[in-house]
Amino acid sequence: MSFTSNEEWSPGDSCTFFKIVVLASGTGSNFQALVEQLQRRILADPEGNPVLAPVCCTGNPPLMGAVVFDITLLITDVPGAPVLEKAWTRGVPTAVLSYEAYATAEEHDKHLIDAVRESEADLIVLAGYMRVLSPAFVQAFPGKIINLHPALLPAFPGTTSIADALEYGAKVTGVTVHYADEGVDTGPIIAQEPVRVEEGDTVESLAGRIHAVEHELLSDVVRKIAAGKVMAPQSGSRKVRVDK
Ligand code: GRF
């Protein structure tokens, strides 16, 4: 595992940080959207209005007690994944935890658990993390792991959802953000947005519109979680309560 950061940032202690760890395997457009929309921004000003400008959290009186987003770590399982470059250029520390470096997936996930624990994450976001997490990882962070999926679950789970929806002839597909559980794309649903399939769509054209929706919906869900507006389901239920 290697940690790198090209930027040092020493915030003061007048704010509460909502710490986010992102796990991603590929391009990282959703990671980039999260950084651009949330990093070092205040959840809300003292009147409760969202604050869009980046903040430096150093003893500025209006920021006392404010909640500020801090994406503290990007973890990838793919050495050389383009998402790494996106993190480096935006000053987000990175860790590469390749599965090939460990004898078993369980062994890998032990190190993954340690890295996430060290970061003291309030939320773990799977944004294009193309591996199935072990039960140990899921159980280590109950109610704290969310996943982004490019279809309206439970339709079209798995890694080829956009092509599958097109092939199936669906007229509407979309985006889901859900809690991660031990299955593949099976956890309780937090938010969904539809995307219409147009006549003549290709995988690329449909993916472009799905990604645009993902980039907004994921940040929106993270803001709501940080604001305490998302209630994870009680045992025995799948229903997630989301307040406006
Ligand atoms: C997204 O479509 C996400 O829903 C899926 O993987 C893709 C990642 O895209 N799980 P990117 O790497 O964020 O561009």
Side-chain angles (χ1 to χ4, degrees), residues 24-33 82-83 86 126-130 147-151 158-159 161-162 174-176 185 207 210-211 214-215 218:
S25 306
T27 315
S29 70
N30 284 284
F31 165 78
Q32 178 177 336
V83 67
K86 291 188 168 73
L126 310 179
Y129 192 65
M130 305 309 276
N147 182 45
L148 176 67
H149 185 75
T159 56
S161 330
I162 299 175
V175 175
T176 302
D185 303 324
I210 286 178
H211 288 320
E214 287 185 326
H215 296 163
L218 184 58

Side-chain angles (χ1 to χ4, degrees), residues 29-223:
S29 70
N30 284 284
F31 165 78
Q32 178 177 336
L34 272 181
V35 173
E36 285 168 1
Q37 293 175 36
L38 299 182
Q39 183 68 315
R40 296 169 202 170
R41 283 163 166 77
I42 311 179
L43 174 61
D45 69 13
E47 279 76 49
N49 306 306
V51 176
L52 298 176
V55 296
C56 179
C57 192
T58 45
N60 184 344
L63 304 185
M64 291 289 280
V67 175
V68 174
F69 291 102
D70 192 10
I71 298 170
T72 53
L73 183 61
L74 176 275
I75 301 177
T76 185
D77 58 311
V78 180
V83 67
L84 282 167
E85 181 95 31
K86 291 188 168 73
W88 294 332
T89 54
R90 288 165 180 82
V92 176
T94 61
V96 178
L97 273 167
S98 155
Y99 283 80
E100 282 65 46
Y102 300 93
T104 62
E106 286 71 27
E107 185 66 21
H108 171 276
D109 278 14
K110 261 189 218 158
H111 288 81
L112 188 59
I113 290 170
D114 288 347
V116 174
R117 280 218 176 103
E118 266 171 43
S119 73
E120 299 177 339
D122 295 296
L123 187 68
I124 300 142
V125 178
L126 310 179
Y129 192 65
M130 305 309 276
R131 304 295 291 233
V132 178
L133 295 165
S134 66
F137 185 85
V138 174
Q139 286 160 19
F141 306 102
K144 281 192 174 182
I145 313 172
I146 63 170
N147 182 45
L148 176 67
H149 185 75
L152 293 177
L153 292 170
F156 309 119
T159 56
T160 54
S161 330
I162 299 175
D164 293 348
L166 205 54
E167 173 81 3
Y168 191 85
K171 301 296 184 201
V172 178
T173 180
V175 175
T176 302
V177 181
H178 64 94
Y179 284 110
D181 66 7
E182 291 165 27
V184 177
D185 303 324
T186 51
I189 293 170
I190 302 170
Q192 293 188 303
E193 279 288 327
V195 173
R196 206 162 267 290
V197 180
E198 306 291 354
E199 210 54 53
D201 253 338
T202 60
V203 172
E204 291 68 33
S205 63
L206 182 56
R209 295 201 306 286
I210 286 178
H211 288 320
V213 171
E214 287 185 326
H215 296 163
E216 299 304 317
L217 189 67
L218 184 58
S219 296
D220 191 48
V221 167
V222 172
R223 276 192 212 100

